[in-house]
Amino acid sequence: MADEVPEVPLVLVSNPYLEKKAAAVRQKPILWEGYERASLLTHEQVELIKAIDKKQPQVVQDAIRQKGQTYASLIMYLLQNLSRPDTIQYVCLMTDAILSANEDNARYFHETSKEDPSFPFEPFFKHLDADEEFMSLESSKVLTILACSAPLPTQVNLSSLLNWITKKLTGSVNDVVNLVIQELESILRVSAYRSAVWNTQNCVKELVHRLFLNKSASTPQIQYQIIFCLWLLSFEKDIAATINEKYDIVLLLVDIAKSAVKEKVIRVSIATLKNLVEKAPAQNLAAMLVAKLLPFTENLSTRKWSDTDILEDINYLKERLEEDFQSLTTFEQYASEVETGKLEWSPPHRSELFWKENASKFEEHNYQLLRSLARLLSTSSSPLVLSVAASDIGYYIKYASKSGKNILQDIGAKQRIMELMTHEDQEVRYQSLLAVQKYMHQAW
């Protein structure tokens, strides 16, 4: 994929669930003349509404071309002064029709901020938490269009919308989840909003959780859309530096790319991994080596692709990983496994020579690596990780200094190894028993 976000329509929100509800709302007549009789609207305002009410997009656009600012101000007035749910639903739909008729129409709404600094966002924020679902969903779509068209996005506070999106990501209605993922895709195209999304509590966490739930190749469109969001986030250097540490996305992206049927899912996964390497190599290359991305890129580079960009990204990743792999010592490769929590029976774990030569290195940086290994024993639920970690502790104790042994006892590793002797997994029990025997032999 290209290094920059591709030029596309301002907002890509296409949702059959929302469209079906919109069609039902369009069928309901709104008695605008009744508002005029009640002196809630003037005759001129009613005539303006009727000129675009239930009209074809070209008719709507012609009216907006002539009186765009008047219509935007009228919409703000209606949202502020009318309260019937069916009317508010219709006004939201009318706004959508105006904004969707032509991208340039959004500027009229942004101009209303001169009338009231809270315009054009606040009247729609108010309806996000409406009891009536269509009003809420349609408001979110309109807010997404307004956010993406804002002349000064750095001055727009989207916290209400982003918190609402996060809440919907946790919901059980897949159609709504799909809608808010599309909205996030659009919002994240604007670089000024990426930090706001990243800093919204649980937003990225729920997005990654949705991706994990959709690991199966049977859901390629959702996979693509979520990974596209992660790709956009990965353009920001500070996000690229911490996203894998927080959400373990490298292994998830590699797993999805390996099982993906659709080329576009592989393409966006590889493009995201490439961004992570470009923006923050020190924080991500080790995790990629542990996730076995290098042999996977070697495999991918031999395939035929309809999109030549993907081959460029694959080759870039392969070259960077080869460089990094060749420069790593055996101990650094081992340390990468421990720090990423992805332990497996790679050669160092069962090499007496490795432990004899490197045991002292576990005591560097205030025993950081030893503490990480002990933490895996306490936090991992993987029988493989627990088995390898228990074995490592056993090998380490054979060559450890007295202070190293004391640290292991102080941080609870000895106690945890003894607890694992009754673990439900046979291999975990066996490796824990061997480690305890080595403790005893070394007269702990």
Side-chain angles (χ1 to χ4, degrees):
M1 289 176 77
D3 288 337
E4 298 301 329
V5 180
E7 286 292 326
V8 292
L10 189 64
V11 171
L12 289 169
V13 178
S14 175
N15 186 273
Y17 182 74
L18 184 60
E19 284 304 316
K20 186 176 180 181
K21 287 181 172 290
V25 170
R26 282 190 202 97
Q27 298 305 313
K28 296 178 184 176
I30 304 294
L31 301 176
W32 300 109
E33 291 84 355
Y35 285 111
E36 182 182 349
R37 287 193 293 273
S39 300
L40 291 170
L41 294 176
T42 65
H43 179 71
E44 290 75 16
Q45 287 173 323
V46 171
E47 289 302 307
L48 280 168
I49 293 168
K50 288 166 70 176
I52 63 171
D53 188 15
K54 295 183 174 62
K55 297 295 193 294
Q56 292 297 314
Q58 189 54 53
V59 176
V60 173
Q61 184 53 31
D62 289 343
I64 300 302
R65 191 177 295 115
Q66 294 175 40
K67 298 181 179 179
Q69 200 56 60
T70 303
Y71 273 104
S73 297
L74 175 59
I75 295 285
M76 296 295 107
Y77 177 86
L78 296 174
L79 291 170
Q80 293 284 83
N81 293 280
L82 304 183
S83 58
R84 280 179 58 102
D86 57 342
T87 305
I88 298 299
Q89 287 175 29
Y90 202 86
V91 173
C92 289
L93 194 55
M94 194 185 302
T95 309
D96 185 359
I98 294 171
L99 292 170
S100 299
N102 191 300
E103 287 185 5
D104 289 340
N105 291 345
R107 64 190 169 96
Y108 300 119
F109 287 87
H110 292 295
E111 282 292 316
T112 62
S113 64
K114 294 175 181 175
E115 303 167 27
D116 183 326
S118 71
F119 289 172
F121 294 95
E122 189 56 38
F124 294 100
F125 282 144
K126 271 195 327 186
H127 299 297
L128 276 177
D129 292 314
D131 292 333
E132 203 290 314
E133 187 181 49
F134 177 77
M135 194 189 305
S136 174
L137 299 181
E138 189 64 30
S139 293
S140 74
K141 182 183 176 184
V142 169
L143 283 165
T144 300
I145 298 172
L146 291 174
C148 294
S149 58
L152 294 170
T154 54
Q155 296 180 15
V156 177
N157 183 347
L158 287 184
S159 56
S160 296
L161 177 60
L162 296 177
N163 286 326
W164 179 88
I165 285 174
T166 302
K167 188 164 65 175
K168 295 301 176 186
L169 280 172
T170 67
S172 57
V173 182
N174 285 334
D175 290 308
V176 174
V177 172
N178 294 351
L179 172 69
V180 298
I181 290 171
Q182 287 183 20
E183 291 175 345
L184 269 181
E185 279 186 273
S186 298
I187 290 166
L188 286 167
R189 288 176 183 275
V190 182
S191 60
Y193 297 138
R194 290 173 191 156
S195 289
V197 172
W198 177 251
N199 291 320
T200 298
Q201 187 173 11
N202 294 330
C203 186
V204 178
K205 177 184 175 184
E206 291 301 333
L207 196 62
V208 174
H209 181 61
R210 280 283 161 187
L211 183 58
F212 181 79
L213 293 178
N214 287 277
K215 275 178 72 174
S216 162
S218 63
T219 54
Q221 187 57 32
I222 289 296
Q223 286 180 341
Y224 176 80
Q225 289 173 190
I226 296 176
I227 299 171
F228 193 89
C229 290
L230 298 178
W231 176 63
L232 292 170
L233 282 167
S234 70
F235 278 95
E236 305 305 311
K237 198 168 185 177
D238 58 334
I239 296 175
T242 53
I243 191 168
N244 185 63
E245 182 185 353
K246 290 187 77 169
Y247 302 114
D248 208 12
I249 68 165
V250 166
L251 186 61
L252 182 57
L253 290 174
V254 173
D255 284 348
I256 288 173
K258 282 179 177 177
S259 62
V261 175
K262 295 285 186 181
E263 181 176 305
K264 68 178 185 178
V265 174
I266 300 174
R267 185 177 72 240
V268 74
S269 300
I270 293 294
T272 306
L273 293 166
K274 180 196 174 190
N275 266 7
L276 295 180
V277 169
E278 279 192 327
K279 304 293 182 184
Q283 292 82 2
N284 293 300
L285 277 167
M288 292 178 186
L289 288 168
V290 171
K292 302 291 190 288
L293 181 56
L294 179 54
F296 182 50
T297 57
E298 289 167 349
N299 174 283
L300 291 177
S301 65
T302 64
R303 294 193 202 173
K304 295 228 181 314
W305 303 99
S306 60
D307 182 347
T308 55
D309 281 346
I310 188 173
L311 193 54
E312 289 179 21
D313 288 355
I314 289 166
N315 287 332
Y316 172 85
L317 268 177
K318 184 160 75 77
E319 287 166 13
R320 287 300 303 269
L321 287 164
E322 282 171 345
E323 288 170 17
D324 199 58
F325 186 74
Q326 287 163 9
S327 68
L328 285 179
T329 64
T330 304
F331 181 76
E332 286 170 332
Q333 291 176 42
Y334 170 85
S336 296
E337 273 191 47
V338 175
E339 294 298 350
T340 56
K342 305 292 185 283
L343 297 185
E344 56 181 47
W345 290 115
S346 53
H349 298 283
R350 286 172 163 158
S351 165
E352 286 282 354
L353 181 62
F354 171 83
W355 290 99
K356 186 175 183 179
E357 290 180 345
N358 294 293
S360 62
K361 294 179 181 177
F362 283 74
E363 299 172 9
E364 295 173 356
H365 308 296
N366 193 26
Y367 303 92
Q368 180 183 329
L369 198 59
L370 205 55
R371 293 176 190 275
S372 297
L373 196 57
R375 187 165 56 248
L376 288 178
L377 282 172
S378 298
T379 60
S380 179
S381 57
S382 163
L384 175 60
V385 171
L386 292 173
S387 298
V388 177
S391 174
D392 285 0
I393 293 292
Y395 273 107
Y396 168 73
I397 201 65
K398 192 171 178 181
Y399 301 100
S401 66
K402 186 175 180 181
S403 61
K405 295 174 185 177
N406 289 339
I407 282 289
L408 272 182
Q409 185 147 355
D410 292 345
I411 60 180
K414 177 184 175 185
Q415 179 63 31
R416 179 59 179 154
I417 290 282
M418 295 180 77
E419 291 171 1
L420 290 174
M421 288 172 64
T422 59
H423 193 274
E424 59 185 15
D425 184 84
Q426 181 180 350
E427 183 67 13
V428 175
R429 292 197 303 271
Y430 176 66
Q431 295 300 337
S432 300
L433 176 62
L434 288 181
V436 170
Q437 286 175 344
K438 287 173 183 173
Y439 289 160
M440 305 302 287
H441 183 69
Q442 294 298 317
W444 185 297

